[in-house]
Amino acid sequence: MCDENAVAETLASCPGLGGITLCPCGTISLHVGGVSVRMEPAAFMQMSRMCHEAMLLLNGQLRDRASTNANAITH
């Protein structure tokens, strides 16, 4: 764990949502709202892949729903 004076590097941010920082010790912190999760880089990569997979599935489901609704309106 770093000392409390260490300055984290911002890797990404989204105003109103949160951000991702890299501590000089190598720990990655995910900040969303009032919640922060600290994790090792390997765990962050796994979490990123998991979120990406969920996003792809959700995107497909939303597309399928939109198509179903459009078909219902035209028939």
Side-chain angles (χ1 to χ4, degrees):
M1 185 172 236
C2 284
D3 79 44
E4 59 193 48
N5 296 322
V7 177
E9 175 185 355
T10 298
L11 300 176
S13 66
C14 182
L17 179 62
I20 301 168
T21 58
L22 174 62
C23 183
C25 73
T27 300
I28 296 174
S29 295
L30 171 65
H31 311 278
V32 178
V35 177
S36 292
V37 179
R38 293 174 46 89
M39 60 193 92
E40 295 298 319
F44 175 76
M45 296 299 230
Q46 288 178 310
M47 187 267 318
S48 296
R49 284 191 292 272
M50 180 180 66
C51 289
H52 187 252
E53 182 178 320
M55 180 194 67
L56 293 174
L57 288 170
L58 181 58
N59 187 38
Q61 290 175 357
L62 293 175
R63 196 174 328 119
D64 290 346
R65 286 183 196 158
S67 176
T68 299
N69 289 341
N71 287 337
I73 293 171
T74 60
H75 290 103

